[in-house]
Amino acid sequence: MSLQFYNTISQKKEKFNPISDEIVKIYTCGPTVYNTAHIGNFRTFLFEDLLKRFLIHKGYNVYHVMNITDIDDKTIKKAKGDKKLFQELTTKYLAQFMDDIEFLKIIPADVYPKATDNINEMIEMITKLQEDEVAYLSKDNSVYFNLSKDKGYGRLINLSNSKLKQTERVINDEYSKDNPQDFSLWKSWTNEDGDIFWDSPWGKGRPGWHIECSAMSIKYLGEHFDIHCGGVDNIFPHHENELAQSMSATNNLFVNYWMHSEHLHLKGDKMSKAKGNFLTIPDLISKGFLPEEIRFVMLAAHYRTKLTFSLEQCSESRSALQRIYGLYNRLLKISNGNLEIFKFPSEYDNFILALDNDLDTPKAFAVFFKWLRSINTKLDNNQNMDNKDINGGIKFINVIDSIFGVLIKENFIPEEIHKLATDRAGYRKKGDWKAADRIRNKILDLGFLVEDGTDGPIIKPKK
Ligand code: AMP
Ligand code: ZN
């Protein structure tokens, strides 16, 4: 079977044919930097990381652009119209996002364009739409996209424009799909925006959220590129509107494959800041979770199914990962070290076939763990293994790690644990044994052991 992906626009799986043999171009909608991203957001970013890693494994070169939404209703509202606060806010949360990306071992995008650095490109695109009479200026000097001028509107949600019941126009970035409306491309300045505004041919104001992604994707990837990703909540109105604007402005196809990941849920509802049911990466770090554990929990479920997150499940993933690492070490110990002479196990092909089929990770892991169990049994029973098979097993696990990033490196200790161990050493120095013991127990609860070496504390993961 050849590589295929479910394409939101056709609502079916399609064989993946890149536009160029040289490079696959991907655009992923990045974070809105008004707050610390939650792990729901990271489910989507991890799905995109998996997609990218698998394409790389298949031998493609990937060029990946992820935008940073630093202007939208939410960033402006939070900064309360103060440009200095606005810049401080977005810089702070962008830095936090980059830390989280690094912690989670997500391969960084090639470019992270910020909306604030691309205002001219947005103005140019809006001007073009206005010249083509697909956009119009309203009385308050905002510019709107005219839905009735785009006969194909509704492409992504599979609704025909003629059947859409059009109502008022909408200035907000987000609105429901029951109510398709002329949407804003440029929002004229209001009192609440304070000193957060940019100059434009229509006076001071700011771009709408959707035009930001059209302008930045086209600037960095061209008018027609391979894959556009996001979470399912991006499909409408964000991606529908992005597609409408881009196709109208360029008369080109814009995107070949639209891929969307389902939501992460917590306590029975979609994880979201607005509902208050969320956890962040710093929350999980402070509970002692490893990046590999978080990656495993998120990636072991298929990206198009809803996933409910629980701390228990995250803890349980540790034993699965230790089994992988355990077998890896077992094979390394008996390997002749000549990894170039190897034979992949027969399960390897089925593993790749599962991923070729729209990234079927549950099936891929089922095939892998079945193989893992069979090899462990073989080794437990002292059955001989051929050198080629041993090396093939090591290579198989290396492939697992390159695609999923789940091989726990033995010495990885989260920063939080180092900090606790240092605090404990401080108490010991002062002779406060009670406080030192309390911290040792806390470290133990978080899954690590701390011992006292001559050069300071030695920390190990609890077996
Ligand atoms: P935002 O910062 O709100 O623009 O979201 C960044 C990305 O996270 C977008 O692709 C969203 O679709 C995605 N996203 C938001 N909430 C969730 C969730 N609960 N589960 C999975 N993805 C999400
Ligand atoms: Zn976007």
Side-chain angles (χ1 to χ4, degrees):
M1 188 212 291
S2 48
L3 180 59
Q4 52 177 332
F5 297 130
Y6 181 87
N7 195 346
T8 306
I9 200 159
S10 64
Q11 296 181 306
K12 55 179 197 269
K13 287 184 200 167
E14 291 176 19
K15 182 175 184 303
F16 179 63
N17 286 318
I19 296 169
S20 131
D21 292 339
E22 312 276 295
I23 201 143
V24 175
K25 293 184 181 176
I26 304 183
Y27 186 86
T28 58
C29 286
T32 309
V33 284
Y34 75 112
N35 219 324
T36 308
H38 56 64
I39 59 169
N41 302 131
F42 281 104
R43 179 184 191 195
T44 293
F45 302 138
L46 282 166
F47 142 67
E48 294 158 353
D49 187 51
L50 168 73
L51 168 69
K52 190 163 145 186
R53 283 166 176 259
F54 190 54
L55 286 167
I56 294 170
H57 173 79
K58 299 288 283 185
Y60 293 108
N61 291 312
V62 175
Y63 188 70
H64 174 202
V65 178
M66 175 181 274
N67 74 294
I68 302 296
T69 306
D70 58 353
I71 317 170
D72 83 326
D73 297 348
K74 289 184 259 189
T75 48
I76 296 196
K77 196 167 166 208
K78 189 141 184 222
K80 295 194 182 81
D82 178 334
K83 202 157 194 170
K84 190 164 168 278
L85 264 183
F86 172 78
Q87 271 153 1
E88 277 169 17
L89 176 91
T90 57
T91 307
K92 174 177 164 192
Y93 290 114
L94 176 55
Q96 174 70 59
F97 174 72
M98 290 303 173
D99 286 350
D100 293 350
I101 285 278
E102 191 182 344
F103 172 78
L104 284 176
K105 307 199 300 189
I106 290 176
I107 300 177
D110 295 276
V111 206
Y112 289 100
K114 290 195 272 184
T116 45
D117 291 334
N118 291 280
I119 304 283
N120 286 342
E121 286 77 358
M122 295 165 204
I123 291 178
E124 270 170 35
M125 197 167 192
I126 301 169
T127 307
K128 169 88 176 60
L129 290 168
Q130 210 185 0
E131 282 166 6
D132 294 349
E133 295 180 9
V134 191
Y136 61 90
L137 188 65
S138 69
K139 278 202 185 111
D140 73 341
N141 288 330
S142 292
V143 183
Y144 286 88
F145 185 88
N146 187 343
L147 247 55
S148 67
K149 290 287 173 75
D150 178 13
K151 299 292 170 237
Y153 191 83
R155 299 163 180 91
L156 201 56
I157 48 169
N158 282 282
L159 283 180
S160 138
N161 193 351
S162 56
K163 294 205 185 100
L164 294 178
K165 189 169 66 46
Q166 237 173 281
T167 54
E168 293 288 281
R169 57 179 169 241
V170 59
I171 190 103
N172 293 340
D173 283 332
E174 291 176 75
Y175 55 97
S176 108
K177 97 171 160 200
D178 309 325
N179 216 8
Q181 299 165 76
D182 287 359
F183 56 90
S184 61
L185 301 168
W186 185 263
K187 307 181 189 212
S188 70
W189 181 87
T190 65
N191 273 336
E192 287 103 72
D193 295 338
D195 57 4
I196 306 172
F197 62 82
W198 286 263
D199 291 320
S200 81
W202 316 283
K204 54 187 195 179
R206 59 182 168 106
W209 174 35
H210 319 303
I211 200 78
E212 295 179 10
C213 281
S214 287
M216 288 188 275
S217 56
I218 291 174
K219 173 174 174 182
Y220 288 94
L221 298 174
E223 292 177 0
H224 182 204
F225 57 92
D226 297 293
I227 306 177
H228 195 314
C229 302
V232 285
D233 58 327
N234 280 161
I235 298 174
F236 192 92
H238 186 47
H239 289 167
E240 185 68 58
N241 292 353
E242 237 190 280
L243 181 56
Q245 298 159 159
S246 304
M247 289 185 79
S248 299
T250 65
N251 266 323
N252 212 332
L253 292 167
F254 192 42
V255 166
N256 278 359
Y257 301 86
W258 288 92
M259 296 179 70
H260 293 98
S261 69
E262 252 301 347
H263 284 143
L264 185 70
H265 283 226
L266 186 71
K267 297 180 190 144
D269 218 337
K270 173 197 162 189
M271 187 174 286
S272 85
K273 281 274 156 68
K275 291 187 187 121
N277 63 331
F278 66 90
L279 286 163
T280 62
I281 295 298
D283 288 338
L284 295 190
I285 294 176
S286 72
K287 293 183 194 313
F289 290 109
L290 306 178
E292 292 83 2
E293 291 161 349
I294 303 168
R295 291 184 68 95
F296 183 74
V297 168
M298 301 284 190
L299 297 176
H302 193 269
Y303 77 92
R304 285 194 295 115
T305 58
K306 291 191 180 75
L307 171 67
T308 297
F309 184 85
S310 74
L311 292 173
E312 293 70 34
Q313 195 190 10
C314 206
S315 304
E316 280 161 23
S317 69
R318 183 164 297 184
S319 77
L321 298 186
Q322 276 170 355
R323 280 196 291 145
I324 304 179
Y325 188 66
L327 179 63
Y328 190 63
N329 272 337
R330 245 178 140 176
L331 292 172
L332 279 178
K333 274 190 197 125
I334 54 171
S335 160
N336 61 2
N338 191 357
L339 289 187
E340 288 323 302
I341 302 187
F342 73 99
K343 185 166 157 270
F344 274 130
S346 58
E347 288 84 350
Y348 177 79
D349 288 344
N350 288 337
F351 167 81
I352 296 293
L353 276 178
L355 295 178
D356 275 344
N357 182 13
D358 192 33
L359 305 174
D360 189 344
T361 54
K363 179 131 188 242
F365 273 121
V367 170
F368 170 74
F369 277 109
K370 190 163 174 236
W371 168 79
L372 180 143
R373 275 193 300 277
S374 74
I375 299 299
N376 269 333
T377 310
K378 232 182 205 171
L379 296 176
D380 290 347
N381 295 334
N382 293 323
Q383 276 174 263
N384 265 345
M385 271 182 82
D386 194 67
N387 266 322
K388 274 190 191 165
D389 292 333
I390 295 169
N391 294 338
I394 294 170
K395 288 259 192 186
F396 190 7
I397 299 177
N398 282 338
V399 169
I400 295 280
D401 192 39
S402 75
I403 297 174
F404 292 103
V406 291
L407 197 60
I408 297 181
K409 302 287 181 281
E410 197 166 33
N411 295 327
F412 179 83
I413 310 291
E415 199 43 46
E416 169 78 5
I417 304 292
H418 283 295
K419 198 179 160 298
L420 285 171
T422 310
D423 292 350
R424 177 175 170 271
Y427 284 120
R428 281 175 58 84
K429 220 169 177 181
K430 286 190 271 176
D432 189 347
W433 310 111
K434 250 192 177 160
D437 280 352
R438 210 174 44 240
I439 296 187
R440 192 184 52 201
N441 289 337
K442 182 160 185 209
I443 294 176
L444 209 59
D445 285 343
L446 293 173
F448 295 87
L449 288 171
V450 59
E451 291 163 8
D452 301 297
T454 41
D455 294 330
I458 301 168
I459 313 164
K460 293 180 193 161
K462 195 168 71 180
K463 291 283 175 240

